[in-house]
Amino acid sequence: MVLRFPSAILFPSLLVVFAAAISPLWPFSIVEGGGFHDNQRIIEISCLVLTALFGATLLIRSGREDLRQIFDRRIIFFLFWFFLLGLASSVFAYSPRHALFEWAGFLLLLTMSALIASEIRAKGQAWLDKILLFCGLGAAVYIVIEAVVYIVAINAGGQPSNSFLIYGFDNYRFLNHVQTVTLPLLGLLICRSGNGKQKIFAWGVASSWWALLFVPAGRGTLLGLAAGVCAAWFCLRSDAKPWCRVMLWSGLAGLGIYVLFYVLIPLSLGLHPFGFLSSVIERTIENPDSSRWSLWVRAWQITLAHPWLGAGPLHFAHFGRDVQLGAHPHNWMLQIACEWGIPALLALAAAIVLGFKKLLAARQYLLPTDVRNHLTLAAWLTTGVAILVDGLVSGLIVMPTSQLWIAVYIGCCWGWVASITPAQRDSTLRLSMAVRFSGLAGLVMLIYFLGNGMWPEIRNLSLHEEQNLQKERYAHPVPRPRIWRAGYF
């Protein structure tokens, strides 16, 4: 029997972007006792289940459709070993239920990226422009809400807390994780917009998004974006200069907005400046590692104790709980090493290196006069490097909303590379009934792993949080998000 992946009926990538954009804005608890982080996790899981269901429809369709080749066999080879090692690690983990939840989530996020890539490959770059516009609209909605929060803070007359200024996140740093991915996407929206209202809109949204980054002064995001822009300039040279200027000028415009609304106006009202930017140097001198050193030491200890398969996906939230500083190491390399094992880390690193190599190789297919696609290449390179650098000091690879945005980025970048790479003939994928059945069974199992990982905590998250804090054991416990807001287990 012949199965051909559909190009007419494709995964609704705009729905994923919409879900990622609105997940911080959900105004009420989806389940009893849930907070912002819990709402975002539930929305992400819903997207993952939809991904699995759509994958199932691909397996049961019998019509003849085209399959655009988007897969690189070497990258898939290393990802296969990464997930196979992760599965073995999960089986032998202290709590397979928790480990398989994260393993299934990562695999479905990759599937989501592949489906988005297929959509862009089939519908062309006009669809990429539509996705970027949706990103801009989502950011604009959040900016409007932040404007309302700002007006409330000013009218209240007192000095607002920094957490009050950032809406929709249990920890305002989680907004920075989202901005690491979305700021370059908004910069790309500027580059790919024609002259007119959309260009003005893109500049306004991107500049305001930068301003919101300066409020909590996310050093990891700033460092990641700086590294990404430098990498784009170093690798692409003159082709990246217009892109670097877009990021520079939008950042400076955002800094001007921040200084006006969050520094000068509060000072004129007899208040201190809002946000952390004015104290970022002082904070860096006093606490250069932002209390991450203890987390990194514990992650290294776990790695040494379980070098081959790790302690199990998600299991830093168990073996690192006595540190009481975080349910993840705030370093993606240490996280994979201590939870999935060193061989899995090497497999993932090889896949990432090959992915960047394939991305840079796409430059040879661009005409010198194709400015738009040269800027797009610079944007993809910037975003990828920013994620990797910020991920060395933060948890953007484990938080639900940033995970969705990373999946969107990978899918868009993947699809763009496939769309401009020549000599990719259409082909069919021949699957026997046994393979179809095995694939369906695998997708059902992934959904089961997600549901089993949520249960029974999702029935009463407030009770789960109370039990999770272990107040009788720790002096001043606070929730440390991972799966849920109370992330330890």
Side-chain angles (χ1 to χ4, degrees), residues 106-129:
F106 274 40
L107 184 53
L108 285 173
L109 284 167
L110 178 63
T111 304
M112 180 186 295
S113 295
L115 294 172
I116 293 173
S118 297
E119 190 168 10
I120 293 175
R121 177 64 177 86
K123 294 187 176 181
Q125 295 198 38
W127 196 251
L128 171 60
D129 293 332

Side-chain angles (χ1 to χ4, degrees), residues 7-61:
S7 58
I9 303 176
L10 288 164
F11 186 76
S13 55
L14 296 183
L15 180 61
V16 179
V17 175
F18 177 75
I22 69 162
S23 62
L25 309 179
W26 208 258
F28 53 84
S29 297
I30 298 177
V31 297
E32 181 181 356
F36 286 119
H37 181 84
D38 302 318
N39 287 344
Q40 292 164 31
R41 183 67 71 189
I42 292 170
I43 290 173
E44 181 197 30
I45 291 171
S46 300
C47 290
L48 296 179
V49 171
L50 287 175
T51 297
L53 294 176
F54 185 81
T57 64
L58 293 178
L59 292 174
I60 63 177
R61 280 179 57 89

Side-chain angles (χ1 to χ4, degrees), residues 157-438:
Q159 189 74 31
S161 65
N162 289 310
S163 59
F164 176 82
L165 295 172
I166 302 298
Y167 175 82
F169 295 92
D170 288 319
N171 186 324
Y172 48 80
R173 294 294 176 213
F174 299 166
L175 171 63
N176 298 150
H177 301 344
V178 171
Q179 289 174 311
T180 299
V181 188
T182 53
L183 267 170
L185 295 181
L186 294 175
L188 183 57
L189 177 61
I190 294 173
C191 295
R192 295 182 66 93
S193 297
N195 294 325
K197 294 181 179 179
Q198 183 170 319
K199 192 88 165 183
I200 297 173
F201 167 78
W203 272 104
V205 171
S207 300
S208 301
W209 208 233
W210 274 103
L212 291 179
L213 171 60
F214 293 129
V215 176
R219 289 169 291 178
T221 298
L222 290 169
L223 179 63
L225 290 172
V229 170
C230 290
W233 178 83
F234 179 80
C235 295
L236 306 177
R237 297 295 174 164
S238 60
D239 291 334
K241 285 184 179 179
W243 163 254
C244 296
R245 285 196 293 268
V246 165
M247 294 297 286
L248 175 62
W249 287 115
S250 60
L252 290 176
L255 181 60
I257 294 172
Y258 168 80
V259 170
L260 174 61
F261 288 98
Y262 291 89
V263 177
L264 296 180
I265 291 179
L267 287 175
S268 69
L269 297 174
L271 302 173
H272 295 293
F274 293 173
F276 280 130
L277 186 61
S278 59
S279 61
V280 68
I281 297 178
E282 179 183 350
R283 287 191 300 122
T284 302
I285 295 174
E286 291 181 355
N287 189 10
D289 63 2
S290 294
S291 303
R292 294 195 181 8
W293 182 252
S294 298
L295 297 172
W296 295 341
V297 169
R298 176 52 53 86
W300 181 243
Q301 292 170 344
I302 297 172
T303 302
L304 293 178
H306 307 275
W308 298 108
L309 291 178
L314 197 73
H315 271 63
F316 188 90
H318 172 73
F319 293 105
R321 71 175 303 149
D322 60 312
V323 180
Q324 284 291 299
L325 287 173
H328 55 91
H330 290 73
N331 182 298
W332 69 268
M333 296 183 72
L334 285 173
Q335 179 181 322
I336 299 300
C338 76
E339 294 186 343
W340 296 60
I342 294 176
L345 173 63
L346 294 176
L348 179 61
I352 292 172
V353 170
L354 289 173
F356 274 106
K357 182 178 179 182
K358 190 173 183 66
L359 174 62
L360 290 173
R363 186 185 186 189
Q364 63 186 303
Y365 305 118
L366 302 179
L367 295 174
T369 56
D370 191 357
V371 177
R372 199 182 198 207
N373 276 320
H374 279 290
L375 296 179
T376 303
L377 174 58
W380 297 145
L381 183 58
T382 297
T383 312
V385 172
I387 291 170
L388 294 178
V389 172
D390 184 16
L392 293 175
V393 293
S394 77
L396 84 166
I397 71 164
V398 300
M399 297 307 159
T401 305
S402 54
Q403 281 185 335
L404 284 177
W405 281 115
I406 291 173
V408 170
Y409 155 70
I410 293 174
C412 290
C413 179
W414 190 352
W416 177 83
V417 170
S419 70
I420 66 170
T421 303
Q424 293 214 6
R425 59 184 178 83
D426 295 344
S427 63
T428 59
L429 181 63
R430 300 179 182 276
L431 298 179
S432 65
M433 286 299 297
V435 173
R436 285 172 181 259
F437 179 79
S438 298

